[in-house]
Structures are given as structure tokens and as C-alpha cells.
């Protein structure tokens, strides 16, 4: 009997290949390729007066050198602004190679293609660029002051000002019995995937066809961009995403300059061409995130219920806006978390600075919003002298209030309407998991031993599974094997396992017989991408629907072969049989043979489908409205996002002398609806928590006033080691199924990282008795806060 796979802790099928080092990444393909090296601006802001490449032209092994002057047509135009927005009135994007001006250290200025990377890099050193230095705008304060401008034609460095509201927040605050004001700050950081960006391309002149391999989160998006920029039909471009060594959001941006320059060079030279990003390039020329400054006004009653919440914030989006306003829009809407303020207003400015572009990084604006709301909840509790969990509970949306419409517009242009959840139950679960009620006794015991402990709590809601759609194709081979293709890409999420579980259940086939292909436009030309915790919701639902279509056809064909009614049949372990009469059966592979009427027999199995063996001579071999083959294809398009949720609680110990911060216990309760594979979800949470700890305690991008990144290497950029992340994470699941998709699932990919800074800030504040308003926080910063607090006490 086929074991139900949905909900089972199935070991990931990808892992054996990857941990043995037999994965295949972009740098492993096109081994005969020419290599690309990119000359990048050493200045944060400068006018390009001239570029002299003459010294490169005679270098042995150099095949091509380009500056912007060498680009024509669409390639000479700015890169696309991927997600326009009505309030993004001053959107700007860079060129594939800088034209006239550079606006951040690392911007691409020229490109060399050579026999190998060594020759290409040596050739770059011969290019002479004459720059006129311009004042650099670095950081939110400088951008707001606007003494200098990043782009001369953008007043005040403001790309967009956006406001949303529900109710009259200022009036509600003015009428509230209690009010508070807070100023909060999250610094700039960035993701560090093991594999940086990479692109390889080969042009086939005989077929006029381009084949591209790229480390991306959207192979279909890159395909469309390449076709548009190179003047090719979509059908002339194949984009394949092989194994990807981590994405975390940076690889959803497209097209990167190299994703266009490499295919263009391959087409121009008639040779395979490859670019592999090095680590310094990733620091200075990919993407960053997080940096925001918030001002909060809040009014509340004696129970801590928020009557009015007014938030004003400033978002640093770097030198350009290729991904629109997605990050600050998410911050502005997801800030509300599981709460229902009486009235809410939010307004943000998205600001230009002479720094690396800002696009989504795992969490994508949610960590900032969560930090702001949870710090506000803690401040209310402190002001009222109430338990922090009680204040949160007083503000929760209740289980019987779903669907809950906040009266705002989410990042997908649809209503911010929560579909399901049970926040009170989740709070009880996380309190039990961390030992919230027992903590005072634990603290007292630790204090007696000279140790300082603190406990923190943070809640969040995460919009997942945003549209517009994903699709899937399910094909049952004559061997009985099932080949599945979907358009989005994989970067370690376990898609080959979780999607196979969905297919195995829907079709009634062994899990081992299902093979999943992602991110290959030759197999699935339509898709959107892997981001916003959407893969399981979107492709999972599409795969389920496509498998049901294949099942429906299989049962229909088998019913004819077995002379039985469709409703009397079942599929178990890849065999179609009459219920209660297993001897009357036919293998699914044989059904696949019968689905394709043949003129020629190639083996014993195919004889069953030839013209003298099967079919009614009085009817067409393929019925009207039908088609050969045993397969199903379908798409899933949601009415709006589905909203997952979670709560994290953490106990920390702070060293009285060194101010080092150690995590003693970390607990997570998460609700992603029906869970396809609990082991994979827990793995996602573990990885997210590690990144959340990094963002809270270690990782930051340190720019000087001239726009130079001071820590652009792993020698200087701090990341948590295994010794710094929690040794054990206590995890519990709550399942409130989503009514918006056929599987009742919600996303889980970003859950672990979202509340990290908020929970740790709360725990450190609880341990030290010092208000924490900015993250990340280092031991030296905590030491300085202690000194400032002592100085304040002595006044």
C-alpha cells in the first residue's frame, strides 16, 4: 500500500549528491568557455571623463573589450525597472556598463573577455579611466539632509514617498490615555551565499539559438530580459539554472549586467563565455538590504491595546531602484504583525545613496517591521508595568476574526487580508516552549551564581505565496516513472523532495519514481521565480493540480482497458486496479503506453498501443479534445497572498565584564498551514534563525563617508559560526490551513530570520535594563550603552 507522503519527514533526496561534492553549479558548465572580468568603479560618485582601452587591444589572449560606447540598441539603454509603482516617481536604474557617471563603488565600467580569468584580470589593469570625483551621499542622514544629490535630477534624493492608512491614527493617538514616541534603527547588511553570481552562455549559429546557464532565482525572468535586450525572440533563448549555492534574495534581481553581457559576448564571438563572481565583487556589486530609520508615535489604553499607531520611516535603497519599492512596502504593511491597532498610518521615503543597491534579502523588509512593532509592544508593557506577553495578547487578531482585512495594499497590489491563524494559541505554545512563566525563578537562580539572564519575545506575520502564478507539467513515462517540471528555481529548499511527496500522493505512485526539474525553460517556459516564501504554495499547488489532471486521464484510459467504471478504480504503488479486486489491474506505465496510439512497435510494451491492437476502428485513435501521452499541465494563480505566522522567544546571558552576548535557549513556534515535510520546514527555520542571529549580533555593512565599503571580505565582515548560533532550537508547529490553495499550505522560507533582531533586542534589554533601539548590537556597543547608562545615573 502506498504510504501517505504529505506531512511525512522524508529525507531530502538532494543531499547525497550535494554533500558528496557532485553538485553541478554554473562554474561547472561550459568548461571550454572564454572568461569575463569586469572593471568596477573605485569611487562612490564620479563623472567619467574618458576611458582608454588601447593598451588592452594587443594583449595576447584578449578577445574583446567593451565600454558603454560599444553597446548599441536596447543594450545601451538603462537596465529595466522591474516593479514599477505609482509613487516611484523618480526611479533610476544603472546601465549594463556605466554611462557618463558612476554612483557606487563596484559599478561596472568596462568588461574584458579573454582565454582565462587571469588574462582578463591583467587586461583590466591596463584600462585607464579618468574620473572627476563628486560628493558622495552615504547613509540615511546624509540622504535626508540632501546637501548633495546622488542623481542631479532627483530632488532631495527621494525616489518615492508612499503613505497608507486605515482610520485616523493621529486623532486616535491624541485621544488615547497613554502615548509613547520611539526612534528605531536597523543597519545595512547583506546575504552571503556560498556561491556568488555566475553566468555562462553558448550561441548556436546553426539554430540561431542561445543557451544560458545562470545562478538565479528566476530563470524565466532572465530569459525574458535577455531576449528583450539582445533583440531575440523568447523562443530563441533557453535559460537553465543548475544547482545554486544559495540565493537569499540577491539572485531574484535580474538581469544583472553580466547576465546580459555574457550572452551578448557569446553571440558576438561565437564562443562559449562565462562569468563567475568573486567574493569581493559580491560585497561591492551585488545587493544589500535592511537599512531603515523609524519614528513611531503610538497611543494605547490601560490594558496596552493600541488605539492609534503612526509610523514614519526612511529607507536607504542605494544608488538605483531596479526592484522598485518592494522592501519598504513590505516593511510598512508587515509591521502590523498579528495585531489590530485601532488606527494605523505609515509613510516612508525611499532614498538614494551612493552605495550598493538594496533589494530583498531573506525576510525582505519584514525584520525591520517586526523590530519596530515588537519594540513598541515592549515599550508599552514597560510603561504600564505589565507582562510583555499580556500586552501582545491584548492586541491579537482573534481566531474567529479571519479573514482579517487591514485595509491596506500589500506588495502584490492585493489587499492585506490575513487568511487564517490562531495567535493566542501560538503565544501559549511559545511561552511553554521557552519557559516564560518559569523564567523569573531561573533568573534568580542565575543571579545567585553571578550570571545575568534576560528573556525576549517577538511575533510576526509573513505574507507568502504571492502571485501572479506558477505552472507545472507532469509526464508519466512508459516505464511508470513520473517526470515533473515547474518554472521556478531551487536554491537548497528541498524542492526535489517536497514536490515529489505532493506528486506521489496525488498520483498514487512510489515517491522514488518521481523526478523533479526546476528552473529550466526548455522544460517549463512559463514561471515567475523563487522568492517571498512562495515555492510550496505556488509550484506545490500547480504540481498538485497538474498531477490530478494526469491521474484523471490515467483512470479514464485504464477504465477502457479494464472495462470498468472510473469511479471503481484506484491507483496504488503505480498500479491502477479495481477497488476490492486487485487482480483486475494495469500498471501505470502500461496506461502511458496506451495513451499514445502508435503505428510502429519499438519493444514488447509498445505493441499494445499499435493500430491493430488497441482502439475502436470506428473512432479516431486520438479523441477530439484529447492529445497523446499521459501527462497533465496546470497553473495556480492565487487571489492574494497567504499569511504564515510565528513567534520566537530567546533567553540570553550577557557577560558582566566583556558584554558578550550568549544565547542560552531559543524557541520557535511556526504556522505555515499544512506542512508538506516537517523536516524540511525545521531545516528552513534553523537556517533562518542562524541568519537572524547574524543580523542581530554580527552582520553590518560598514561604509566610510566617501562611500568605501570598509569590510568587504570575510576577514572583516562578521558572520556567526556554528559556535555562535543556538546549539539547539526548540520548535513546535501550529497548523491553520490556508483556504486560498488546494493544499492548505503557507510559505516557510523566511520564517526563521524575521523576528531575530526583535527577540534578541528584547532579551538583551531585559537582561541589562537598558533600552535597545538599534540593531545589530555588538559587545562593544553594549559596553558603551552600559557606560552611558552609568553616566546618566550619576548626574
Amino acid at each position: 500500500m502506498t504510504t501517505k507522503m504529505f506531512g511525512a519527514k522524508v529525507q531530502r533526496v538532494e543531499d547525497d549528491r550535494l554533500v558528496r561534492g557532485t553538485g553541478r553549479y554554473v562554474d561547472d558548465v561550459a568548461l571550454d568557455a572564454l572568461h569575463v572580468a569586469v572593471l568596477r568603479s573605485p569611487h562612490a560618485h564620479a563623472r567619467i571623463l574618458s576611458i582608454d582601452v588601447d593598451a588592452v587591444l594587443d594583449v595576447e589572449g584578449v578577445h574583446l573589450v567593451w565600454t558603454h560606447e560599444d553597446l548599441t540598441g536596447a543594450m545601451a539603454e538603462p537596465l529595466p525597472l522591474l516593479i514599477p509603482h505609482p509613487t516611484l516617481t523618480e526611479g533610476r536604474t544603472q546601465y549594463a556598463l556605466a554611462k557618463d557617471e558612476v554612483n557606487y563603488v563596484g559599478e561596472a565600467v568596462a568588461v574584458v573577455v579573454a582565454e582565462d580569468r587571469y588574462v582578463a584580470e591583467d587586461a583590466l589593469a591596463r584600462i585607464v579611466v579618468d574620473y572627476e570625483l563628486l560628493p558622495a551621499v552615504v547613509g540615511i542622514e546624509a540622504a535626508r539632509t540632501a546637501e548633495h544629490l546622488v542623481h542631479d535630477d532627483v530632488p532631495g534624493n527621494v525616489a518615492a514617498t508612499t503613505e497608507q492608512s486605515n482610520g485616523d491614527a493621529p486623532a486616535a493617538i491624541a485621544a488615547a490615555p497613554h502615548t509613547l514616541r520611539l526612534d528605531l534603527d536597523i543597519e545595512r547588511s547583506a546575504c552571503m551565499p556560498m556561491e556568488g553570481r555566475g553566468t555562462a552562455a553558448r550561441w548556436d549559429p546553426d539554430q540561431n539559438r542561445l543557451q544560458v546557464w545562470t545562478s538565479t532565482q528566476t530563470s524565466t525572468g532572465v530569459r525574458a530580459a535577455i531576449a528583450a535586450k539582445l533583440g531575440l525572440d523568447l523562443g530563441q533563448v533557453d535559460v537553465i539554472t543548475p544547482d545554486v549555492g544559495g540565493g537569499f534574495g540577491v539572485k531574484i534581481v535580474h538581469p544583472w549586467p553580466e547576465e546580459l553581457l555574457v550572452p551578448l559576448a557569446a553571440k558576438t564571438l561565437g564562443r562559449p563565455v562565462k562569468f563567475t563572481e568573486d567574493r569581493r565583487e559580491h560585497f561591492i556589486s551585488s545587493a544589500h538590504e535592511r537599512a531603515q530609520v523609524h519614528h513611531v508615535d503610538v497611543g494605547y489604553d490601560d490594558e496596552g491595546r493600541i488605539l492609534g499607531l503612526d509610523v514614519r520611516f526612511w529607507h536607504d535603497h542605494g544608488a538605483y531602484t531596479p526592484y522598485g519599492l518592494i522592501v519598504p512596502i513590505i516593511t510598512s504593511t508587515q509591521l502590523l504583525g498579528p495585531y489590530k491597532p485601532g488606527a494605523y498610518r505609515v509613510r516612508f521615503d525611499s532614498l538614494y545613496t551612493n552605495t550598493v543597491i538594496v533589494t530583498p534579502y531573506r525576510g525582505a523588509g519584514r525584520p525591520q517591521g517586526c523590530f519596530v512593532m515588537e519594540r513598541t509592544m515592549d515599550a508599552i508593557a514597560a510603561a504600564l508595568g505589565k507582562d510583555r506577553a499580556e500586552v501582545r495578547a491584548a492586541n491579537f487578531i482573534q481566531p474567529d476574526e479571519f479573514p482579517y482585512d487591514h485595509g491596506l495594499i500589500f506588495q502584490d497590489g492585493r489587499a492585506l487580508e490575513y487568511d487564517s491563524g490562531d495567535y493566542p494559541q501560538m503565544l501559549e505554545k511559545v511561552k511553554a516552549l521557552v519557559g516564560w512563566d518559569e523564567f523569573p525563578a531561573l533568573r534568580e537562580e542565575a543571579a545567585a551564581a553571578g550570571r545575568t539572564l534576560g528573556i525576549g519575545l517577538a511575533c510576526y506575520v509573513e505574507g507568502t505565496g504571492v502571485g501572479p502564478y506558477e505552472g507545472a507539467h507532469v509526464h508519466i513515462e512508459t516505464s511508470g516513472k513520473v517526470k515533473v517540471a515547474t518554472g521556478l528555481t531551487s536554491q537548497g529548499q528541498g524542492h526535489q523532495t517536497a514536490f515529489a511527496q505532493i506528486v506521489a500522493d496525488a498520483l498514487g505512485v512510489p515517491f522514488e519514481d518521481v523526478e523533479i526539474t526546476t528552473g529550466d525553460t526548455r522544460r517549463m517556459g512559463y514561471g515567475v521565480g523563487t522568492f517571498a516564501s512562495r515555492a510550496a504554495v505556488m509550484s506545490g499547488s500547480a504540481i498538485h493540480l497538474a498531477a490530478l489532471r494526469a491521474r484523471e486521464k490515467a483512470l479514464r484510459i485504464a477504465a477502457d482497458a479494464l472495462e470498468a467504471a472510473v469511479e471503481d478504480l484506484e491507483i496504488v504503488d503505480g498500479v491502477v486496479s479495481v477497488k476490492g479486486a486487485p487482480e483486475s489491474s494495469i500498471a501505470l506505465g502500461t496506461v502511458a503506453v496506451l495513451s499514445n496510439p502508435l503505428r510502429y512497435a519499438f519493444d514488447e510494451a509498445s505493441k499494445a498501443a499499435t493500430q491493430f491492437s488497441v482502439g475502436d476502428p470506428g473512432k479516431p485513435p486520438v479523441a477530439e479534445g484529447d492529445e497523446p501521452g499521459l501527462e497533465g499541465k496546470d497553473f495556480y494563480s492565487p487571489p492574494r497572498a497567504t499569511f504564515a505566522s510565528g513567534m520566537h522567544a530567546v533567553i540570553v546571558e550577557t557577560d558582566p565584564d566583556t558584554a558578550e552576548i550568549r544565547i542560552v535557549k531559543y524557541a520557535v513556534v511556526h504556522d505555515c498551514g499544512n506542512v508538506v515535510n516537517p523536516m524540511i520546514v525545521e531545516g528552513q527555520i534553523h537556517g533562518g534563525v542562524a541568519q537572524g542571529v547574524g543580523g542581530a549580533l554580527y552582520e553590518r555593512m560598514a561604509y566610510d563617508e566617501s562611500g568605501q565599503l570598509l569590510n568587504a571580505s570575510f576577514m572583516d565582515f562578521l558572520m556567526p559560526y556554528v559556535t555562535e548560533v543556538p546549539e539547539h532550537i526548540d520548535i513546535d508547529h501550529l497548523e491553520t490551513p490556508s483556504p486560498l490553495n488546494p493544499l492548505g499550505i503557507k510559505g516557510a522560507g523566511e520564517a526563521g530570520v524575521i523576528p531575530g533582531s526583535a527577540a534578541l533586542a528584547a532579551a538583551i534589554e531585559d537582561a541589562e535594563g537598558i533600552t535597545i533601539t538599534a540593531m545589530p548590537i555588538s559587545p562593544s556597543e553594549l559596553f558603551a550603552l552600559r557606560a552611558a547608562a552609568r553616566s546618566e545615573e550619576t548626574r
Side-chain angles (χ1 to χ4, degrees):
M1 187 73 178
T2 301
T3 303
K4 186 176 186 298
M5 301 300 296
F6 193 108
K9 288 188 174 183
V10 178
Q11 189 73 37
R12 288 171 27 134
V13 298
E14 302 93 329
D15 289 350
D16 183 73
R17 178 174 57 84
L18 295 173
V19 300
R20 291 178 186 274
T22 58
R24 192 165 184 263
Y25 302 88
V26 169
D27 201 46
D28 296 319
V29 303
L31 297 178
D32 58 340
L34 302 174
H35 287 256
V36 165
V38 181
L39 181 69
R40 303 188 183 279
S41 171
H43 306 296
H45 199 192
R47 191 168 288 114
I48 299 173
L49 301 179
S50 65
I51 306 176
D52 185 354
V53 300
D54 288 348
V56 178
L57 301 178
D58 297 328
V59 173
E60 184 177 354
V62 170
H63 290 256
L64 176 151
V65 56
W66 281 336
T67 66
H68 183 269
E69 289 185 355
D70 299 295
L71 304 179
T72 60
M75 279 295 296
E77 298 171 358
L79 300 180
L81 199 165
L82 293 169
I83 308 177
H85 189 274
T87 66
L88 183 55
T89 56
E90 304 295 342
R92 300 289 184 273
T93 60
Q94 70 187 84
Y95 293 87
L97 294 172
K99 178 186 179 184
D100 301 332
E101 187 172 297
V102 291
N103 285 296
Y104 64 93
V105 172
E107 185 165 357
V109 175
V111 64
V112 168
V113 182
E115 285 293 331
D116 58 45
R117 184 67 175 258
Y118 301 100
V119 173
E121 294 281 359
D122 288 345
L124 289 185
R126 294 171 175 249
I127 299 174
V128 179
V129 184
D130 187 11
Y131 293 101
E132 177 190 342
L133 297 187
L134 300 171
V137 178
V138 181
I140 289 173
E141 184 178 352
R144 287 177 62 187
T145 304
E147 181 180 349
H148 303 291
L149 299 178
V150 175
H151 303 285
D152 288 340
D153 58 347
V154 178
N157 293 312
V158 179
T161 298
T162 303
E163 181 175 319
Q164 291 200 69
S165 62
N166 186 2
D168 189 341
I173 294 168
H178 308 283
T179 61
L180 277 173
R181 310 189 87 180
L182 295 91
D183 290 292
L184 302 163
D185 186 353
I186 292 279
E187 288 195 34
R188 175 181 283 236
S189 184
C191 61
M192 292 294 148
M194 288 189 291
E195 178 202 31
R197 297 182 294 111
T199 302
R202 177 181 285 116
W203 173 254
D204 186 337
D206 296 324
Q207 298 187 50
N208 281 329
R209 195 172 188 87
L210 184 67
Q211 194 166 48
V212 179
W213 297 263
T214 190
S215 187
T216 184
Q217 292 173 230
T218 172
S219 53
T220 52
V222 173
R223 179 195 194 199
I226 290 171
K229 285 291 189 178
L230 270 61
L232 299 171
D233 293 334
L234 204 59
Q236 289 180 274
V237 182
D238 297 322
V239 174
I240 303 105
T241 300
D243 290 324
V244 175
F248 307 116
V250 69
K251 294 176 184 177
I252 191 58
V253 182
H254 65 283
W256 290 101
E258 298 86 359
E259 285 178 322
L260 300 175
L261 294 166
V262 167
L264 181 61
K267 186 172 183 292
T268 301
L269 297 171
R271 294 273 304 273
V273 176
K274 176 191 296 187
F275 164 75
T276 302
E277 179 185 67
D278 65 33
R279 186 55 59 182
R280 177 169 172 78
E281 285 179 305
H282 186 80
F283 273 100
I284 66 170
S285 62
S286 285
H288 301 166
E289 214 234 88
R290 301 291 193 249
Q292 291 179 358
V293 171
H294 288 249
H295 176 78
V296 179
D297 287 299
V298 61
Y300 52 96
D301 66 16
D302 293 343
E303 301 304 314
R305 280 186 292 266
I306 294 178
L307 306 176
L309 179 64
D310 198 1
V311 178
R312 179 84 164 89
F313 72 94
W314 295 265
H315 171 74
D316 177 355
H317 62 236
Y320 301 103
T321 56
Y323 214 71
L325 301 176
I326 293 301
V327 171
I329 288 174
I330 292 174
T331 299
S332 67
T333 52
Q334 298 281 254
L335 181 150
L336 292 170
Y339 312 115
K340 50 177 182 180
Y344 176 58
R345 182 176 72 172
V346 61
R347 183 172 184 254
F348 67 80
D349 288 347
S350 197
L351 302 171
Y352 286 108
T353 59
N354 288 116
T355 56
V356 172
I357 63 171
V358 165
T359 65
Y361 162 31
R362 193 177 192 178
R366 297 176 186 88
Q368 300 95 308
C370 181
F371 178 73
V372 170
M373 192 59 162
E374 296 303 296
R375 292 279 67 209
T376 301
M377 285 291 174
D378 287 340
I380 292 171
L384 293 174
K386 285 185 168 292
D387 183 281
R388 291 168 287 168
E390 289 180 15
V391 169
R392 286 166 169 81
N395 286 280
F396 281 155
I397 298 164
Q398 296 302 306
D400 61 359
E401 293 182 283
F402 291 98
Y404 190 88
D405 190 345
H406 276 291
L408 305 174
I409 301 300
F410 191 44
Q411 62 139 320
D412 57 354
R414 305 300 177 97
L416 185 73
E417 183 176 308
Y418 295 177
D419 49 325
S420 66
D422 189 339
Y423 309 137
Q425 184 183 356
M426 184 177 288
L427 180 62
E428 292 308 309
K429 279 179 171 283
V430 80
K431 285 173 63 180
L433 210 56
V434 77
W436 184 269
D437 293 335
E438 297 76 25
F439 179 73
L442 179 66
R443 188 209 297 269
E444 192 173 316
E445 180 183 328
R451 299 168 60 212
T452 303
L453 301 185
I455 192 169
L457 169 71
C459 312
Y460 67 93
V461 171
E462 177 194 2
T464 74
V466 297
Y469 71 90
E470 286 296 341
H473 179 260
V474 174
H475 177 73
I476 302 170
E477 298 277 3
T478 57
S479 64
K481 303 290 186 182
V482 182
K483 304 295 178 67
V484 182
T486 187
L488 53 65
T489 60
S490 298
Q491 301 91 45
Q493 296 92 338
H495 293 162
Q496 280 71 22
T497 304
F499 291 164
Q501 290 178 253
I502 292 170
V503 173
D505 276 0
L507 274 179
V509 299
F511 170 80
E512 297 78 13
D513 286 350
V514 183
E515 177 186 298
I516 307 293
T517 297
T518 60
D520 187 338
T521 63
R522 299 169 301 180
R523 294 284 304 278
M524 192 70 190
Y526 291 96
V528 181
T530 303
F531 57 94
S533 302
R534 69 191 297 275
V537 177
M538 300 300 299
S539 276
S541 294
I543 285 169
H544 172 75
L545 295 172
L548 292 182
R549 285 187 179 274
R551 177 187 176 87
E552 179 186 11
K553 185 172 184 179
L555 291 175
R556 176 163 46 83
I557 294 170
D560 286 341
L562 297 173
E563 298 181 341
V566 167
E567 57 270 22
D568 292 334
L569 300 180
E570 62 182 357
I571 307 177
V572 178
D573 286 333
V575 176
V576 187
S577 62
V578 177
K579 297 173 186 175
E583 69 280 359
S584 181
S585 64
I586 183 172
L588 204 54
T590 305
V591 178
V593 171
L594 298 177
S595 72
N596 181 25
L598 297 173
R599 182 172 179 84
Y600 309 109
F602 306 106
D603 52 25
E604 286 299 316
S606 61
K607 287 181 180 179
T610 54
Q611 59 199 41
F612 294 108
S613 302
V614 72
D616 184 341
K619 297 179 181 178
V622 179
E624 184 177 349
D626 208 347
E627 56 187 43
L630 188 52
E631 54 191 26
K633 186 176 183 179
D634 213 329
F635 292 83
Y636 171 67
S637 182
R640 60 184 183 277
T642 180
F643 288 85
S645 57
M647 298 180 190
H648 291 204
V650 59
I651 297 174
V652 303
E653 178 177 357
T654 57
D655 189 284
D657 299 317
T658 66
E660 288 182 279
I661 301 157
R662 184 176 72 87
I663 295 172
V664 175
K665 187 170 187 177
Y666 205 105
V668 176
V669 178
H670 183 247
D671 177 7
C672 58
N674 294 330
V675 179
V676 180
N677 186 320
M679 187 184 298
I680 288 178
V681 171
E682 289 176 12
Q684 289 275 25
I685 290 171
H686 285 187
V689 168
Q691 282 186 304
V693 169
L697 303 180
Y698 302 98
E699 300 168 4
R700 72 183 78 203
M701 290 296 170
Y703 277 97
D704 69 12
E705 62 184 12
S706 67
Q708 295 292 333
L709 187 58
L710 301 179
N711 58 339
S713 76
F714 284 162
M715 288 287 290
D716 303 301
F717 179 77
L718 295 181
M719 292 188 295
Y721 295 165
V722 68
T723 50
E724 277 75 57
V725 298
E727 184 176 343
H728 176 75
I729 301 170
D730 295 297
I731 298 175
D732 197 0
H733 298 284
L734 180 67
E735 297 186 33
T736 62
S738 171
L740 301 182
N741 62 74
L743 297 174
I745 55 181
K746 308 174 187 179
E750 295 167 280
V753 73
I754 294 169
S757 287
L760 283 161
I764 296 165
E765 181 173 291
D766 185 53
E768 295 285 326
I770 299 171
T771 302
I772 306 298
T773 60
M775 295 296 270
I777 186 168
S778 66
S780 60
E781 286 164 326
L782 179 55
F783 193 89
L785 287 173
R786 286 174 174 174
R790 285 194 296 268
S791 175
E792 189 68 28
E793 289 173 1
T794 58
R795 285 184 181 180

